[in-house]
Amino acid sequence: MGSPEFIVKMREKIGHDPLWLPGVCGVVFDAEGRVLLGERSDTGGWALITGILEPGEEPGPGLVREIFEETAVVATIEHLMGITVVGPVTFPNGDVCDFLSIEFICRHISGTARFNDDESVAVGWFSVDGLPPLRPGHLACIQRAVAFSGEAHFQR
């Protein structure tokens, strides 16, 4: 799918300069307690399901949309887990972004996990004890979800 159209239009004006974007991230658990991950087509690494919100889009529905678009999994949000800042991230094309990442704990409702768009080359469920290599921020997000006590995580 690539970048949303509103970002493409901004990039025409600002080039690769840093861009501040609202993002969502979901730790999606299935009934066995496994975590849904996608192997990203742009970096080749495994990652949580994330996305950029469209202008005016609410974070919860935006994340549910992203999960379905990327994995064909229908999920429901159980908890707002926290808010973090991710970045700066430099993409393979040279674009630089910082993300305000709104993190949620989600539950699988239906659908068989498969890569459903061009953002991933593979999708799968992984036990928390058998995760593939992940970026430190994604691993920390999963650890926060597993240990979630009901208190939102954010920098104090």
Side-chain angles (χ1 to χ4, degrees):
M1 288 193 60
S3 294
E5 187 62 28
F6 79 95
I7 293 176
V8 172
K9 288 180 179 179
M10 280 194 287
R11 288 289 179 202
E12 290 172 357
K13 297 173 184 171
I14 67 167
H16 300 299
D17 287 353
L19 191 55
W20 177 249
L21 293 169
V24 287
C25 178
V27 181
V28 183
F29 291 104
D30 69 2
E32 289 81 44
R34 298 175 301 173
V35 177
L36 181 63
L37 300 175
E39 186 178 10
R40 295 181 56 97
S41 59
D42 59 352
T43 65
W46 286 93
L48 290 167
I49 308 305
T50 63
I52 298 168
L53 295 173
E54 296 285 338
E57 186 175 31
E58 288 285 336
L63 176 60
V64 170
R65 173 188 56 76
E66 287 285 349
I67 292 167
F68 183 77
E69 286 178 0
E70 295 181 24
T71 70
V73 164
V74 176
T76 188
I77 293 175
E78 292 191 330
H79 301 284
L80 169 63
M81 185 171 58
I83 300 172
T84 60
V85 173
V86 177
V89 175
T90 302
F91 289 91
N93 69 354
D95 288 350
V96 179
C97 297
D98 287 280
F99 298 93
L100 178 68
S101 182
I102 305 165
E103 302 171 338
F104 294 93
I105 297 173
C106 304
R107 203 54 71 188
H108 170 262
I109 297 297
S110 65
T112 301
R114 63 179 167 82
F115 65 101
N116 204 34
D117 66 14
D118 61 356
E119 292 185 43
S120 301
V121 296
V123 171
W125 295 100
F126 293 85
S127 72
V128 174
D129 296 332
L131 297 170
L134 296 168
R135 294 189 317 233
H138 282 217
L139 181 57
C141 188
I142 293 169
Q143 291 167 339
R144 284 193 298 275
V146 169
F148 187 68
S149 66
E151 183 177 341
H153 167 82
F154 57 92
Q155 193 76 30
R156 290 176 165 81

